[in-house]
Amino acid sequence: MEFQELAKSVLAGDETRTTSLCEQLLAEGETPERILNEGLVGGLTLAGEGMETGELYLAEVIIAAETFKNGFAVLEPHFKGEPDSALGRVAIGTIFGDIHDIGKDLVIMMLRAYGFEVYDLGIDVSADRFVEAAKAHQLDIVGISAELTTTMMGMKDVVKAMEDNGLRQKVKIMVGGPSVTEAFARSIGADGYGKDCFEAVVLAKKLMGI
Ligand code: B12
């Protein structure tokens, strides 16, 4: 019931109610994972449905996304783990043409919480920018996020640019986003796909041979 209320408060853009419900659920002993997935992400799922049916204006979805971020700020300290940069160096960005950043940010937060050294490349990231980052930071893994079916194919350009620059043997590539699948990841020559930010950690460890 409270999870539904939290989802609705995200959808309504009610920041005060969203943060206080997150605090209340934590105090009641709910796990931050459950509050995130069933409450906060639930609100964005409702926003997505509203977008699809045309019931919501884009401005309303932007407000819901900002409200999500406020709620998430309450949960974030509860995900903090022991930093261990020896685990690996990762850079993550949202593919060019795509400005969605929430999924990417959650993946970054979870990888950091589990000890990876993570560089945030931001949104609308070109293939060249991924290559530059791989060279500058001697990356072990590049992570690419794509939210739109129209931008997903850009991930293939990143794989190719990494190959063209002689980096493909050294740097693993992982991909994700709501329309991305394991089969799609393989088809573009990536090394793996993660369904959510929790799977992203398992995948990154696997790619590092941990
Ligand atoms: C919020 C939102 C917006 C906000 C973005 C705000 C922000 N700061 O990000 C705004 C309003 C700006 C927006 C704009 C648009 N949006 Co939008 N948006 C959404 C919405 C509601 C939520 C997205 C989200 O944050 N989800 C929550 C996160 C936690 O989930 P996630 O992104 O899937 O990420 C998880 C996993 O996928 C995975 N993951 C993600 N990345 C990676 C990377 C790696 C390496 C790994 C391992 C895993 C991984 O882990 C994440 C965490 O668990 C979705 C609908 C939905 N239900 O998803 C539509 C949606 C994605 N948007 C859509 C559309 C069409 C648009 C617009 C084109 C609308 C328009 N007419 O202008 C524009 C595009 C702008 C652009 N060029 O990018 C469509 C996409 C349809 C499609 N299949 O292509 C959707 C699905 C809505 C819909 N049903 O129509 N949007």
Side-chain angles (χ1 to χ4, degrees):
M1 188 61 198
E2 274 162 338
F3 290 115
Q4 269 176 19
E5 259 184 66
L6 179 55
K8 279 186 195 158
S9 72
V10 170
L11 180 67
D14 188 339
E15 290 179 4
T16 313
R17 179 123 185 88
T18 298
T19 50
S20 70
L21 275 172
C22 284
E23 280 157 2
Q24 185 188 322
L25 286 162
L26 281 172
E28 285 170 8
E30 288 295 351
T31 62
E33 283 87 350
R34 203 161 168 221
I35 304 171
L36 173 64
N37 285 331
E38 294 182 32
L40 295 179
V41 174
L44 290 180
T45 306
L46 294 174
E49 288 164 10
M51 272 175 105
E52 226 165 330
T53 57
E55 273 168 64
L56 285 185
Y57 291 111
L58 220 50
E60 292 174 291
V61 183
I62 293 172
I63 293 167
E66 288 308 313
T67 308
F68 171 98
K69 289 181 185 183
N70 281 285
F72 183 67
V74 175
L75 303 183
E76 192 170 5
H78 297 269
F79 284 110
K80 293 257 183 282
E82 287 300 307
D84 177 8
S85 57
L87 276 184
R89 273 191 290 270
V90 188
I92 301 190
T94 302
I95 196 68
F96 52 90
D98 199 329
I99 62 162
H100 295 84
D101 64 1
I102 294 174
K104 163 191 77 72
D105 288 348
L106 291 187
V107 171
I108 290 174
M109 182 276 302
M110 283 305 287
L111 287 173
R112 283 187 180 147
Y114 278 82
F116 284 88
E117 193 177 321
V118 188
Y119 298 88
D120 182 357
L121 303 183
I123 53 173
D124 192 19
V125 182
S126 68
D128 288 346
R129 179 78 191 85
F130 279 105
V131 167
E132 276 166 30
K135 286 181 182 164
H137 305 300
Q138 300 182 327
L139 297 178
D140 300 299
I141 302 174
V142 156
I144 321 168
S145 180
E147 204 79 13
L148 304 168
T149 41
T150 46
T151 56
M152 264 164 70
M153 280 319 288
M155 292 172 154
K156 195 175 178 180
D157 298 345
V158 180
V159 177
K160 183 164 184 310
M162 297 290 281
E163 275 166 11
D164 293 347
N165 283 273
L167 292 162
R168 197 62 190 95
Q169 299 303 316
K170 275 185 265 167
V171 185
K172 303 281 185 200
I173 299 177
M174 62 180 193
V175 293
S179 301
V180 179
T181 60
E182 183 71 42
F184 175 79
R186 297 287 162 201
S187 76
I188 60 164
D191 298 296
Y193 150 78
K195 171 170 75 64
D196 57 29
C197 54
F198 303 103
E199 252 189 52
V201 175
V202 176
L203 173 63
K205 284 186 171 174
K206 192 173 131 204
L207 294 177
M208 292 303 296
I210 301 166

